Amino acid sequence: MNKPLIFFKKTTVIAACAVLAAGCGVMPDSAELRKQAQKVTLAASKAPAEAPFRTVTNFTSAVRCMDSMFITFGIRDVSILMEDLDDATKKVSVGTKDMMLTTTSDMTRRSRAIRFIAFGSDSKNAMGFMERAEQKGAYSSMPQFGLRGSISQMDDNVAKASKDVGIGIGDFMFGKSASATSKIVAIDMTIMNLADFSIVPGVSSRNSVAIFSEGHGTDAEARYKKFGINYATSLSKSEGTAVAVRNLLELAAVELLGKLTKVPYWKCLGLNEADADGEVKAEVEDWFESMASNPVELIAWWQYQMYTRGTYTGQVNGAPSPAFAQSLRDYKAAMGLKADTDLNAEFMLTYLQADHTAAMARYEAMKPKLTVATGPILASVRLKGGDRKLKSGEKLEFEVVSNNDAYASCFLLDDNKKVLRIHPNRYSRNTFVGAGKSLAIPDSPKFSLVATAKGVDEIVECYVASKDVLNTLPPDYSKTDLIPLTGINTLEQLKSQFERSSPIPVTTARYVISGDRRN
């Protein structure tokens, strides 16, 4: 009874052996398999045929142009908190905030004019680390402005057209089709004043892009329009809307920061002087009228511009003076205009459009040779109210005095042994010290210095010269106010840099806030 079962098992084993024997005849051995695996691995580990490339958009050159604009018009010490830039439509999945950060970083490469502070939901890790490290340095200086915005519009298939042609012969069918679609993406952005969270009037950007796709979506074109100028970008299928959105963000950055700092950003967008009528003219008139409502602001703006040109050596305080009036007449003459002191929107537009390199060359050629004061500049820093014991939390007020007209840049070595620039700063641009007069530090009620309870010495040190030499320093030394300077740990480093960078002699004036004289 058991024999058939045994016979079946033997047959199965014999068949299995036959199959294995046949397979072994064609199966490679383990050494050959290892060689094949190594070959495939080496091929996969090679670099891609196409090297990585940097994204270049319609507005890449405009972004770099703004960096030069900031330098030309003396813009510095502007701080902006950048919030999350959300997609309100939930249809565009791109990193808008990161795109904006890279744009603004490129915009301030040389000028260091604007300090951007990234803050939002994606800052939790950094904030958690700082909390654990008991480090709150990022919050020690309140930014002046906040930037907010979103992708506010995304309309798919705004227009769609297609055409099909076909012909049939028997069982065979031939055909061809063509289609075209368009969609619109829009971004709205504003700047707000962090002092009261109010929106800064007139400083906004609302732009849109129309994306046209043809055929099977293998190619497309994005079109933008600003000041009557058309811009177009070719898009591939893989790029989708990402490059179009990057273009929009770069355009928004140029427009927003140009409006905020009142520099001729439209020139960076390719607008010619002959096209200055219309929108640009109206915008400059708005700038002028908004400042004219507060004469102190208007005069201070022009004082700083003349100070930047080197024609004005007085205080930037918004108060009219003979020195300011003369500087205005001189620079108008250098620009080829009537040498008067009239301030109006027409002159402001002409000034913003002017070639200041050429105007300064004419000014240097026409100005009288000034008699330079002989002898070194003698300057000192002193505590207002006299040298005394300080109470913890007491506001500290200093004054810089000089025997000749001079310019002073002041720094503080604080109780944490960090060096920071306290003057000039975002609240006070005046560095001029009149002969026999004094310059207050701080020179604005918007910020203050206070005595700490720590029993360590702090030092206020000012670098005084017959010209403003702050801009001769490398950017890392001069372009950030009221926060610790990166890589500079001692005032000796700073003094050496001033002496190396300045083309004229620099006098050092110092006041030591003694730690044992505080309670």
Side-chain angles (χ1 to χ4, degrees):
M1 295 292 295
N2 294 329
K3 286 183 179 180
L5 180 62
I6 294 172
F7 175 77
F8 175 77
K9 286 184 177 179
K10 286 182 179 179
T11 304
T12 303
V13 171
I14 293 169
C17 289
V19 172
L20 288 174
C24 291
V26 296
M27 184 178 293
D29 59 19
S30 60
E32 186 176 347
L33 286 173
R34 185 166 58 251
K35 289 180 180 179
Q36 291 180 3
Q38 289 175 344
K39 185 177 180 180
V40 173
T41 302
L42 288 174
S45 64
K46 290 182 179 180
E50 295 293 333
F53 59 91
R54 183 175 183 271
T55 303
V56 179
T57 69
N58 289 92
F59 305 104
T60 299
S61 59
V63 168
R64 294 304 305 272
C65 170
M66 287 295 290
D67 201 12
S68 299
M69 282 290 179
F70 294 147
I71 295 172
T72 299
F73 290 90
I75 306 302
R76 67 185 182 198
D77 299 331
V78 179
S79 60
I80 299 176
L81 181 72
M82 187 175 297
E83 300 184 26
D84 293 333
L85 303 177
D86 297 326
D87 172 21
T89 69
K90 308 301 181 184
K91 296 180 180 180
V92 185
S93 299
V94 294
T96 49
K97 182 177 180 180
D98 292 323
M99 287 181 179
M100 194 66 171
L101 287 172
T102 55
T103 297
T104 51
S105 176
D106 286 343
M107 192 179 285
T108 56
R109 283 187 180 186
R110 294 186 299 123
S111 65
R112 302 293 200 276
I114 300 174
R115 178 172 173 255
F116 290 92
I117 302 156
F119 188 84
S121 59
D122 56 353
S123 302
K124 292 180 181 178
N125 289 340
M127 290 187 290
F129 174 81
M130 292 173 63
E131 184 178 353
R132 289 172 178 265
E134 298 182 353
Q135 172 59 259
K136 298 182 179 180
Y139 309 105
S140 60
S141 180
M142 183 71 175
Q144 301 156 276
F145 305 102
L147 186 154
R148 63 178 303 160
S150 67
I151 298 177
S152 55
Q153 178 183 354
M154 173 60 177
D155 295 332
D156 283 314
N157 296 324
V158 174
K160 184 175 182 179
S162 62
K163 187 175 182 180
D164 299 305
V165 177
I167 184 172
I169 302 175
D171 295 332
F172 297 94
M173 179 69 71
F174 302 93
K176 185 177 181 181
S177 65
S179 64
T181 61
S182 67
K183 56 185 175 182
I184 295 176
V185 181
I187 292 180
D188 284 59
M189 303 184 74
T190 56
I191 295 286
M192 61 182 178
N193 192 325
L194 290 186
D196 57 4
F197 295 96
S198 61
I199 299 301
V200 180
V203 184
S204 63
S205 173
R206 53 182 187 276
N207 297 300
S208 59
V209 56
I211 303 174
F212 301 91
S213 301
E214 297 179 0
H216 300 285
T218 55
D219 52 23
E221 183 181 67
R223 296 182 184 177
Y224 312 78
K225 188 173 184 179
K226 194 70 185 175
F227 292 125
I229 302 175
N230 292 304
Y231 308 89
T233 299
S234 296
L235 307 174
S236 69
K237 182 178 180 180
S238 61
E239 291 170 334
T241 59
V243 171
V245 170
R246 187 183 293 275
N247 269 275
L248 275 179
L249 288 169
E250 291 185 351
L251 174 58
V254 170
E255 186 177 10
L256 273 177
L257 300 181
K259 291 178 178 180
L260 180 65
T261 58
K262 294 183 175 64
V263 300
Y265 67 92
W266 53 85
K267 297 175 72 174
C268 293
L269 296 176
L271 190 67
N272 297 322
E273 291 186 24
D275 302 322
D277 293 334
E279 290 185 59
V280 171
K281 184 177 180 181
E283 184 160 57
V284 174
E285 287 176 351
D286 289 342
W287 292 356
F288 178 83
E289 294 299 333
S290 66
M291 291 192 294
S293 63
N294 181 2
V296 172
E297 180 186 0
L298 178 66
I299 293 175
W301 190 86
W302 281 108
Q303 283 176 332
Y304 184 68
Q305 288 303 313
M306 295 301 101
Y307 169 82
T308 300
R309 305 295 158 222
T311 68
Y312 177 61
T313 59
Q315 292 190 355
V316 180
N317 55 10
S321 67
F324 168 62
Q326 187 59 50
S327 71
L328 202 57
R329 283 191 289 265
D330 291 344
Y331 200 70
K332 278 191 171 185
M335 290 174 61
L337 305 175
K338 182 181 178 181
D340 57 28
T341 59
D342 292 344
L343 297 177
N344 50 49
E346 183 180 356
F347 171 53
M348 187 174 188
L349 178 59
T350 302
Y351 175 81
L352 292 172
Q353 296 279 63
D355 181 346
H356 293 288
T357 301
M360 282 305 302
R362 287 191 292 270
Y363 172 78
E364 292 294 331
M366 63 183 283
K367 75 175 184 179
K369 300 299 181 182
L370 301 178
T371 303
V372 180
T374 57
I377 288 177
L378 303 177
S380 63
V381 182
R382 61 196 183 198
L383 183 68
K384 283 187 177 180
D387 196 18
R388 64 188 185 280
K389 194 169 185 178
L390 302 170
K391 295 180 180 179
S392 177
E394 178 182 352
K395 288 187 178 181
L396 303 179
E397 295 181 324
F398 302 89
E399 54 186 6
V400 183
V401 294
S402 173
N403 64 325
N404 288 315
D405 288 351
Y407 297 84
S409 299
C410 299
F411 295 76
L412 172 70
L413 179 66
D414 68 9
D415 53 356
N416 293 314
K417 301 303 178 184
K418 301 293 185 181
V419 178
L420 57 157
R421 173 161 54 85
I422 58 174
H423 193 86
N425 56 60
R426 67 194 66 174
Y427 305 112
S428 179
R429 296 174 174 179
N430 177 50
T431 62
F432 179 74
V433 188
K437 298 181 180 180
S438 63
L439 171 66
I441 306 292
D443 192 25
S444 168
K446 294 184 179 180
F447 90 103
S448 59
L449 301 170
V450 297
T452 67
K454 292 184 179 180
V456 296
D457 290 352
E458 296 179 85
I459 300 174
V460 173
E461 187 160 282
C462 297
Y463 305 95
V464 188
S466 58
K467 293 183 178 180
D468 190 345
V469 295
L470 182 63
N471 287 335
T472 65
L473 295 179
D476 289 342
Y477 286 77
S478 64
K479 296 300 182 183
T480 305
D481 66 331
L482 306 179
I483 64 169
L485 299 178
T486 304
I488 303 167
N489 301 314
T490 66
L491 291 172
E492 285 69 25
Q493 283 180 271
L494 193 60
K495 180 181 177 181
S496 297
Q497 189 61 58
F498 265 101
E499 292 173 345
R500 288 196 302 268
S501 303
S502 174
I504 57 177
V506 177
T507 298
T508 303
R510 166 182 290 200
Y511 181 85
V512 178
I513 308 169
S514 179
D516 59 7
R517 301 194 65 187
R518 279 174 276 179
N519 57 13

